């Protein structure tokens, strides 16, 4: 019975891997951050139960009492690469059937800080942390250049920045409580013709 289950598992694994190589997953060069700060990001987003840097402010405010006063600065660099496929429908643009994007590299800074209030069990923190976004930009419009003049319907940008402000208090040696107000600022920009 175990041999049969093993064969079925291997067949399903082989099938799923073959689909992964046959079909492409296409996206709009999106970024969705799994955490913040170089230590947590370098470990795949870990650090919720035992924060090691001021990213505790965002992922577990109560953990701010377990770290020293600190300021953490980091950045992400993204190199978008996209292509657009437009149809040759009556309003379609023949120059946009398959065209590569012209996006520039993106530099995304991030920072957070925690301050332990001297001679108290209180810690406070704040930061500005980009958490999501995307950018696409093409030299041609999807729609006929007779309609748009290739000046519209070529680009889109989205971004979300979290601005947490929080505190933590160490009730006992092994118990802290904390809270964070998570202010979000988002923007969306497009030159859509519709």
């Amino acid at each position: 019975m175990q041999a049969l289950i093993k064969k079925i598992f291997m067949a399903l694994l082989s099938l799923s891997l073959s689909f992964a190589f046959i079909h492409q997953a296409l996206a709009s060069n999106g970024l969705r951050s799994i955490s913040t700060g170089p230590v947590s990001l370098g470990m795949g987003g870990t650090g919720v139960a035992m924060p090691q840097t001021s990213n505790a402010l965002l992922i577990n405010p109560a953990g701010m009492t377990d770290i020293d006063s600190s300021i953490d600065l980091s950045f992400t660099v993204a190199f978008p690469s996209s292509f657009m496929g437009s149809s040759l429908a009556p309003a379609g643009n023949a120059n946009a059937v398959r065209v590569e994007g012209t996006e520039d590299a993106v530099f995304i800074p991030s920072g957070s800080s925690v301050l332990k209030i001297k001679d108290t069990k209180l810690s406070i923190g704040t930061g500005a942390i980009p958490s999501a976004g995307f950018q696409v930009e093409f030299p041609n419009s999807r729609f006929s250049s007779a309609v748009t003049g290739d000046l519209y319907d070529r680009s889109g940008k989205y971004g979300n920045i979290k601005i947490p402000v929080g505190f933590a208090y160490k009730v006992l040696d092994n118990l802290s409580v904390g809270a964070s107000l998570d202010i979000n600022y988002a923007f969306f920009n497009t030159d859509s013709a519709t």
Side-chain angles (χ1 to χ4, degrees):
M1 184 66 170
Q2 275 185 325
L4 177 63
I5 291 173
K6 187 176 180 179
K7 287 180 183 180
I8 291 172
F9 174 76
M10 293 305 288
L12 290 173
L13 179 63
S14 298
L15 184 64
S16 64
L17 287 175
S18 68
F19 278 118
F21 289 112
I22 292 171
H23 298 288
Q24 290 183 2
L26 304 175
S28 335
N29 298 313
L31 168 70
R32 178 73 180 152
S33 183
I34 55 174
S35 185
T36 180
V39 174
S40 182
L41 285 171
M43 296 188 304
T46 63
V48 174
M50 192 173 141
Q52 298 174 353
T53 64
S54 64
N55 73 325
L57 171 68
L58 185 65
I59 62 175
N60 179 5
M64 289 190 295
T65 61
D66 293 333
I67 58 174
D68 292 327
S69 294
S70 65
I71 296 174
D72 293 302
L73 303 172
S74 63
F75 64 90
T76 301
V77 179
F79 299 96
S81 174
S82 61
F83 79 91
M84 169 178 57
S86 179
S87 72
L88 282 175
N93 187 345
N95 296 327
V97 172
R98 182 170 172 91
V99 65
E100 290 189 23
T102 59
E103 304 90 3
D104 294 327
V106 180
F107 178 79
I108 307 165
S110 177
S112 56
S113 64
V114 169
L115 174 65
K116 278 191 150 182
I117 307 299
K118 191 175 180 177
D119 299 327
T120 70
K121 297 180 179 185
L122 181 67
S123 295
I124 58 173
T126 189
I129 302 151
S131 62
F134 76 85
Q135 167 184 328
V136 291
E137 183 176 285
F138 299 102
N140 305 97
S141 169
R142 292 176 300 161
F143 298 112
S144 168
S145 57
V147 175
T148 65
D150 275 335
L151 299 174
Y152 301 102
D153 198 53
R154 301 178 315 141
S155 67
K157 293 180 184 177
Y158 166 75
N160 187 325
I161 300 169
K162 292 181 172 288
I163 305 167
V165 178
F167 75 93
Y169 186 79
K170 190 176 265 303
V171 179
L172 302 171
D173 287 340
N174 61 354
L175 176 66
S176 296
V177 294
S180 180
L181 174 64
D182 188 3
I183 302 165
N184 282 274
Y185 173 77
F187 65 88
F188 178 70
N189 182 11
T190 181
D191 61 358
S192 177
T194 52

